[in-house]
Amino acid sequence: MKKDIHPKYVDCHVTCACGNEFDIRSTKPELSIDICNQCHPFYTGSEKIVDATGRVEKFRNKYKLS
């Protein structure tokens, strides 16, 4: 294997747009992100689930099928 071809793996300070800050390890010393686990709708429980029931009935009513 070749030596000295991999980037340095350093401590990284991450700042989210919502104000959440945390530390990870990365090849960059600082990261700025738009969304994290504190503000993502899936993790906060504010995700809207689209109900798909009644689609067949809606199609039949639209085209007057029995």
Side-chain angles (χ1 to χ4, degrees):
M1 291 182 61
K2 293 183 181 180
K3 293 184 179 185
D4 301 325
I5 62 168
H6 299 289
K8 302 287 184 195
Y9 197 58
V10 297
D11 291 330
C12 175
H13 185 74
V14 181
T15 306
C16 180
C18 71
N20 186 26
E21 296 180 355
F22 53 93
D23 292 322
I24 61 171
R25 299 212 6 116
S26 177
T27 57
K28 294 185 178 185
E30 288 188 26
L31 288 174
S32 178
I33 58 175
D34 296 330
I35 196 160
C36 67
N37 65 331
Q38 297 294 318
C39 58
H40 193 281
F42 179 78
Y43 299 112
T44 60
S46 62
E47 179 180 35
K48 294 180 182 176
I49 300 172
V50 177
D51 187 15
T53 58
R55 292 180 70 185
V56 174
E57 291 81 11
K58 187 175 179 181
F59 177 82
R60 288 179 188 242
N61 290 338
K62 182 177 180 179
Y63 294 104
K64 309 284 190 261
L65 300 174
S66 55

